[in-house]
Amino acid sequence: MKSRLLKGLAIALISLLCLLGLGLSIVPAKARTLLRESSESALGVPATLGGVDTSLSGLNLDLGLVDFDIHNPVGFEGAPLLHLGGVSCNLPLRSLLTGNITVEHLTVDSLRLRIVQDGSRSNLAPILKKVAQSLRDQTPTEPGTQSPPTNSKPGPRLALKSLTLRGIGIDFELAGLGNLNIKESATLPDWTLPLEELRAPDGGDPTMDDLLAHLLTQLHTRALVAAEKHVPKEWLPLLHGTSPKELIRGGLERELLDALPAEARDGLKGAKNKLRGLLGDR
């Protein structure tokens, strides 16, 4: 009886040591691969990770990522599109053996988003377009239908509760349109995003793809608000996705209308509305 108990304790201890060794040895390499593949899959751009720190806290693994950079699309040099100086979380070791990793809370420090508009080229627009297209492709076509519960994206599911962002900086760089040359920076207040409602398209727990896409769109939304204090209002539509051609055309139309007498402006607007009706609002 005693030998069986000792044998059981020995097996349990060996299993625990194997589990701890698994967490410390495999997680760093897995984290690098997961972040690289998720950035390519969700955003269409490469990502690099400076370092991974791991330590044990009971039966949990403290994981720290250092200098995680999501790079710009091809054709944009300089600082990365998104820089995360440090990412930290606490993972239950047992969840590393399953397809669902439980993350109570993620914390990101020293985050910096760089938004570049160089003439008709934008470093952020193609990424947001890819995220939006991915959401459209994965949305059920008929009301009431649901996608099959499959996980075609890289990596495991993440059971997340919240994400805290600290030390948030936004850099705006606008150039290539006449004498336009704007380089401004803004600091956003720290904030915590609740993630319990963040789901994968099939309704299950999100993957790293879903988290990266959500983070970038949330940052973009807040950056647009901050831009109002740093970017002249006539150029703000560029950051909202308006093309330079549309912006210039709209400006010329406004200038032309402003130069006309009030009666002529009303007449043109009336004619335009009638023409739209004849063409089926095109």
Side-chain angles (χ1 to χ4, degrees):
M1 180 87 176
K2 182 183 266 188
S3 68
R4 286 183 182 178
L5 180 60
L6 291 174
K7 185 177 181 181
L9 289 173
I11 292 175
L13 180 60
I14 291 172
S15 299
L16 177 60
L17 291 175
C18 289
L19 187 60
L20 297 178
L22 179 71
L24 292 174
S25 62
I26 293 181
V27 168
K30 289 287 187 181
R32 289 180 183 277
T33 301
L34 175 59
L35 291 171
R36 184 183 67 250
E37 292 180 349
S38 294
S39 181
E40 291 277 6
S41 173
L43 309 177
V45 291
T48 54
L49 180 61
V52 182
D53 295 326
T54 56
S55 62
L56 294 175
S57 177
L59 293 179
N60 293 337
L61 179 72
D62 291 326
L63 177 66
L65 309 178
V66 182
D67 292 336
F68 174 45
D69 289 336
I70 294 176
H71 296 284
N72 297 289
V74 175
F76 290 90
E77 304 298 331
L81 175 110
L82 182 62
H83 170 77
L84 287 71
V87 181
S88 57
C89 63
N90 185 274
L91 310 173
L93 282 170
R94 63 182 181 278
S95 74
L96 299 177
L97 302 177
T98 69
N100 279 64
I101 296 178
T102 301
V103 183
E104 287 285 326
H105 187 74
L106 275 171
T107 300
V108 176
D109 289 291
S110 301
L111 181 149
R112 197 148 205 98
L113 175 66
R114 179 180 178 228
I115 300 177
V116 180
Q117 181 74 46
D118 184 7
S120 62
R121 301 185 314 125
S122 166
N123 71 330
L124 191 55
I127 294 175
L128 294 174
K129 183 178 180 180
K130 178 174 176 57
V131 170
Q133 183 61 52
S134 177
L135 290 175
R136 285 195 295 270
D137 291 344
Q138 296 163 4
T139 299
T141 54
E142 296 182 8
T145 62
Q146 189 173 10
S147 303
T150 60
N151 181 12
S152 60
K153 296 182 178 181
R157 302 282 183 157
L158 306 171
L160 302 164
K161 289 190 176 180
S162 63
L163 168 61
T164 294
L165 307 177
R166 302 189 300 212
I168 310 163
I170 311 291
D171 297 319
F172 303 101
E173 300 177 21
L174 286 77
L177 290 169
N179 295 324
L180 179 66
N181 186 14
I182 297 172
K183 287 190 176 182
E184 296 286 349
S185 296
T187 300
L188 301 185
D190 299 350
W191 103 88
T192 297
L193 288 77
L195 297 176
E196 291 175 311
E197 300 301 319
L198 177 62
R199 315 303 296 172
D202 61 15
D205 286 330
T207 65
M208 184 60 70
D209 279 49
D210 303 309
L211 179 60
L212 288 180
H214 182 68
L215 173 60
L216 197 61
T217 53
Q218 290 291 311
L219 278 173
H220 179 242
T221 298
R222 293 216 169 191
L224 292 179
V225 177
E228 296 176 1
K229 298 180 181 179
H230 300 276
V231 178
K233 63 179 181 179
E234 60 269 23
W235 298 112
L236 283 174
L238 288 174
L239 302 182
H240 287 263
T242 300
S243 71
K245 184 183 294 185
E246 292 171 330
L247 185 64
I248 293 171
R249 184 176 61 196
L252 290 175
E253 287 180 354
R254 285 193 299 273
E255 288 184 11
L256 175 60
L257 288 174
D258 290 343
L260 292 174
E263 300 81 5
R265 288 200 299 268
D266 293 339
L268 282 175
K269 289 178 182 177
K272 186 176 181 180
N273 291 334
K274 287 181 181 179
L275 185 59
R276 280 183 175 174
L278 290 172
L279 296 176
D281 291 332
R282 283 179 291 176

